[in-house]
Amino acid sequence: MKVYMSADSSSQAIGTREIAEALTASAAQRALELTLVRTGSRGLYWLEPMLEVERDGRREAFGPLTPADVPGVLDALAAGHAHPRALGPVEALPEEQGQQRVNFRRCGVVAPGDWRDYLATGGMLGLRRALELGADGVVAAVTASGLRGRGGAGFPTGVKWRTTRAAAADTKFIVCNADEGDSGTFADRMLMEGDPLSLIEGMVIAGYAVGAAQGFIYLRSEYPLAREVLERAIETAYANGLLGADALGSGARFDVHLRLGAGAYICGEETSLLESLEGKRGTVRYKPPLPAMEGLFGKPTVVNNVITLATVPAILTDGAEAYAALGHGRSRGTLTLQLCGNVRRPGLYELPFGVTLGHVVQTLGGGSASGRPVRAVQVGGPLGAYFPVELFDTPLDYEAFAARGGMLGHGGVVVFDDTVDMLEQARFAMEFCALESCGKCTPCRIGSTRGAELIERMRGGARAQQLTLLEDLCEVMEQGSLCALGGLTPVPVRSAFKHFPEDFQPAAVAAAG
């Protein structure tokens, strides 16, 4: 019997390791020949720990399981009986939700870093197509696809690549920003642990397109399993000619180096990341010059997020038109949403841009895990706006969210029920900024500390005066900060007050305090 089970960090946190141990022991007791393949996750975390059993050429899922369920599942399979934990064909589960897996098509399907699995599921087709198109053709295809950076800014990837390609320099670099630090996000980690070769292939394509011979993956040290998987995948890529002196017979050299950051949130900002990668303290740089012109060690550098780079092979394989056909408005392709917090069905959902926030939270997520009414949703990480239920008709695309004072960021969606204290959430935003500020500019370094103090004083009264000061402070931080950390911290603060003013009323403050 051949079975599959996720071994990524999130699945293990839910208990897949214990299920795997119970499975092995139960099979041995029954003298059952069992092949257990450890994969990445499909992101269906509300069904984890989940076991997939291969029968008649397809996989059937069972979950969520406890170790005590395992003997009964094996007995049911042996006898051909139904089991209450049976979920049916696993491929149908995300499809029934309207998911369209582009970035995560292999996660949960292949053994991470297995070369034969990778080739069997379309790996390397993107690079082969890139070599057919030529460097200019690759840049044109990425531009035509409408791909925008998935790290948070949503900048057009093709424009960034074209800028670096046009820059005159003897050395250029590709840098993968794997410093995933937004609260409630895990898509980068899930992809690196589940399909690392797609990221490496994407970096090779990027290097070929802009004329770079070296790439760096900047990974946060809090991702030890991702590090292990990436290190094995890089070795596999060298052994099979994806990396090295002659990438897939292109005649071009490309090497990938893995570097660990220390986990500073600010190093998710591209210029701080470059400073850290050069061995310096992670502080933001002034712009211009942009990294695309003067980046790592002063050389033209493409800095892209994990999902952005890993999407490129699929775009070239399927065609730019196919990717651009998905989505809404100027937001093309798919969005990888990481749904978490107080929600019944947490997990990763890959959907075309344009579905509404309410559909994601209420229909896909099933509402709050507590069973209480959903009151607020924060989209885009700790610097994202809080959206009330009244704005659940907002389509998930960059422009629609911006029009309502929000941002999609890295696709993190955190759900809160009606017990949430929005004054406390506003205070947390300022405190987070104060803790994570690199300290280079005054509005961020000092403003965030003063902001946390102002909000704390509201609990003691004098609300009107404090709000005036807070609004002035938010304006200074927004307009005067060097980077997005200080500049965007006012977003959750202002949205909390705008949409939930009752939590800032003296009576509410007194009750909460």
Side-chain angles (χ1 to χ4, degrees):
M1 180 185 296
K2 192 171 186 179
V3 300
Y4 301 81
M5 179 168 283
S6 171
D8 84 340
S9 294
S10 297
S11 300
Q12 290 195 51
I14 300 171
T16 53
R17 180 177 298 172
E18 290 76 9
I19 300 299
E21 292 172 354
L23 190 63
T24 303
S26 295
Q29 290 171 357
R30 289 161 175 76
L32 174 65
E33 186 175 343
L34 185 77
T35 301
L36 173 59
V37 180
R38 303 307 298 268
T39 66
S41 173
R42 294 181 186 267
L44 311 172
Y45 290 126
W46 72 96
L47 297 176
E48 293 280 6
M50 186 170 71
L51 176 69
E52 299 176 24
V53 181
E54 187 173 282
R55 293 199 300 182
D56 302 325
R58 68 175 188 176
R59 297 189 199 177
E60 296 181 11
F62 295 82
L65 297 177
T66 67
D69 293 322
V70 172
V73 170
L74 292 181
D75 290 342
L77 288 168
H81 294 159
H83 190 277
R85 297 293 187 189
L87 300 168
V90 67
E91 297 287 353
L93 297 174
E95 290 176 1
E96 290 170 355
Q97 297 171 323
Q99 294 199 53
Q100 290 185 251
R101 297 292 178 105
V102 176
N103 309 107
F104 288 85
R105 59 177 63 176
R106 292 189 194 85
C107 280
V109 178
V110 302
D114 185 286
W115 188 252
R116 286 180 297 181
D117 274 7
Y118 191 63
L119 295 181
T121 51
M124 303 299 287
L125 294 179
L127 180 55
R128 293 183 191 283
R129 180 59 180 153
L131 297 179
E132 293 171 359
L133 292 171
D136 286 327
V138 172
V139 174
V142 172
T143 303
S145 74
L147 177 66
R148 297 166 69 169
R150 297 294 191 261
F155 189 80
T157 304
V159 174
K160 183 180 287 189
W161 287 20
R162 186 168 62 238
T163 303
T164 300
R165 174 163 175 73
D170 56 349
T171 303
K172 300 177 184 178
F173 295 106
I174 304 298
V175 172
C176 172
N177 184 348
D179 194 54
E180 186 176 48
D182 279 357
S183 51
T185 60
F186 48 86
D188 290 354
R189 186 186 65 199
M190 188 175 140
L191 189 133
M192 290 186 288
E193 293 179 353
D195 185 19
L197 288 170
S198 69
L199 170 59
I200 295 171
E201 185 181 353
M203 293 181 70
V204 174
I205 293 171
Y208 173 71
V210 306
Q214 290 191 73
F216 291 86
I217 301 173
Y218 185 87
L219 178 71
R220 60 176 34 235
S221 59
E222 290 93 334
Y223 284 4
L225 180 58
R227 176 188 181 181
E228 292 178 20
V229 176
L230 282 171
E231 287 176 339
R232 289 198 300 270
I234 291 171
E235 290 178 4
T236 298
Y238 274 108
N240 290 279
L242 173 57
L243 294 175
D246 185 22
L248 203 65
S250 64
R253 181 174 194 91
F254 195 79
D255 295 298
V256 167
H257 312 279
L258 181 62
R259 296 287 184 269
L260 291 184
Y265 182 80
I266 192 61
C267 287
E269 195 278 336
E270 61 179 1
T271 63
S272 292
L273 185 157
L274 295 175
E275 288 286 294
S276 178
L277 203 52
E278 293 179 4
K280 305 169 189 172
R281 181 169 173 259
T283 56
V284 298
R285 296 176 179 174
Y286 294 101
K287 296 180 187 176
L290 297 172
M293 301 296 291
E294 293 184 34
L296 186 63
F297 302 114
K299 301 296 184 180
T301 303
V302 168
V303 183
N304 277 146
N305 159 267
V306 171
I307 302 298
T308 310
L309 288 164
T311 303
V312 172
I315 289 173
L316 296 184
T317 299
D318 300 339
E321 298 78 9
Y323 191 77
L326 302 171
H328 182 261
R330 291 171 53 201
S331 303
R332 312 311 308 173
T334 57
L335 174 64
T336 50
L337 290 166
Q338 300 122 87
L339 186 60
C340 62
N342 192 341
V343 65
R344 185 168 299 166
R345 291 191 285 271
L348 183 135
Y349 298 81
E350 184 172 355
L351 301 156
F353 284 97
V355 298
T356 65
L357 179 60
H359 176 75
V360 171
V361 174
Q362 303 289 26
T363 304
L364 300 180
S368 73
S370 64
R372 300 180 66 90
V374 173
R375 186 181 187 214
V377 176
Q378 187 177 32
V379 181
L383 308 181
Y386 290 98
F387 274 54
V389 174
E390 290 74 18
L391 296 182
F392 271 17
D393 62 340
T394 308
L396 287 162
D397 79 44
Y398 292 106
E399 283 68 34
F401 254 66
R404 290 187 166 180
M407 63 177 188
L408 290 180
H410 188 40
V413 180
V414 182
V415 181
F416 300 86
D417 73 11
D418 63 351
T419 63
V420 65
D421 175 358
M422 297 308 296
L423 184 145
E424 176 59 23
Q425 295 304 119
R427 191 197 62 79
F428 168 76
M430 287 292 188
E431 184 180 69
F432 179 83
C433 181
L435 288 170
E436 298 292 345
S437 173
C438 76
K440 187 164 184 173
C441 68
T442 302
C444 175
R445 183 183 71 250
I446 303 298
S448 54
T449 298
R450 296 289 91 83
E453 293 170 352
L454 280 172
I455 296 172
E456 190 60 35
R457 284 187 204 133
M458 291 182 187
R459 295 192 187 279
R463 169 182 164 274
Q465 182 184 12
Q466 304 302 335
L467 278 177
T468 301
L469 287 172
L470 183 61
E471 180 53 41
D472 286 348
L473 183 62
C474 286
E475 185 70 16
V476 170
M477 291 180 69
E478 181 181 272
Q479 300 298 325
S481 296
L482 275 178
C483 76
L485 175 56
L488 293 179
T489 294
V491 172
V493 176
R494 283 170 162 159
S495 65
F497 179 72
K498 177 180 179 181
H499 299 303
F500 308 95
E502 62 274 19
D503 283 25
F504 294 77
Q505 298 294 333
V509 171

